Amino acid sequence: SPLYDSAEYMVAKADEYNFHYGLLFAISMQESRGCIAIPPGSHNCWGYGIYGDKVTTFDSYEEAIDVVSAGLYNNYIQKGLTTPEAIMKKYTPSSNGSWAYAVNFFFDKLEE
């Protein structure tokens, strides 16, 4: 994964915002296969702010990790949306549950 070199940074950001680092990894796996399939040059492994014709881009993986970590904390976790199922309802409301299932699957793989 292109995120390999950013793993420690992802853990540090998750620690800063007091959520499990696995959430960043699992969402990136669900959204882009760990940053394998992203809009060219976007550094956006999380599908963050990507819908319709809109594509949110970042100058680097670190910038993306900063913005996504803060966004997860401020827009989801701080509002009590702490599980993939709860996050899914706002992050990707059109999902039939498969998004949360996949995020949980990848999160569980980290715990093995």
Side-chain angles (χ1 to χ4, degrees):
S1 167
L3 290 175
Y4 180 81
D5 291 336
S6 300
E8 287 184 29
Y9 192 72
M10 291 172 71
V11 171
K13 279 296 169 179
D15 287 349
E16 178 182 332
Y17 288 104
N18 198 31
F19 63 85
H20 193 288
Y21 71 91
L23 189 59
L24 285 171
F25 287 103
I27 292 173
S28 77
M29 288 300 294
Q30 163 55 21
E31 292 290 336
S32 68
R33 295 188 340 255
C35 223
I36 300 296
I38 63 171
S42 71
H43 297 98
N44 190 339
C45 310
W46 297 269
Y48 196 81
I50 296 178
Y51 50 89
D53 293 335
K54 182 179 191 250
V55 176
T56 299
T57 63
F58 303 102
D59 292 332
S60 66
Y61 293 122
E62 287 75 20
E63 180 188 13
I65 293 164
D66 289 344
V67 170
V68 172
S69 296
L72 283 172
Y73 178 74
N74 292 321
N75 299 318
Y76 299 87
I77 295 165
Q78 199 171 40
K79 295 180 179 182
L81 306 174
T82 59
T83 66
E85 293 78 12
I87 292 167
M88 176 185 69
K89 291 177 182 173
K90 183 175 179 183
Y91 199 90
T92 181
S94 63
S95 177
N96 63 2
S98 61
W99 187 90
Y101 177 86
V103 169
N104 280 316
F105 172 83
F106 292 119
F107 194 96
D108 290 346
K109 288 293 180 189
L110 289 171
E111 297 295 307
E112 292 180 352

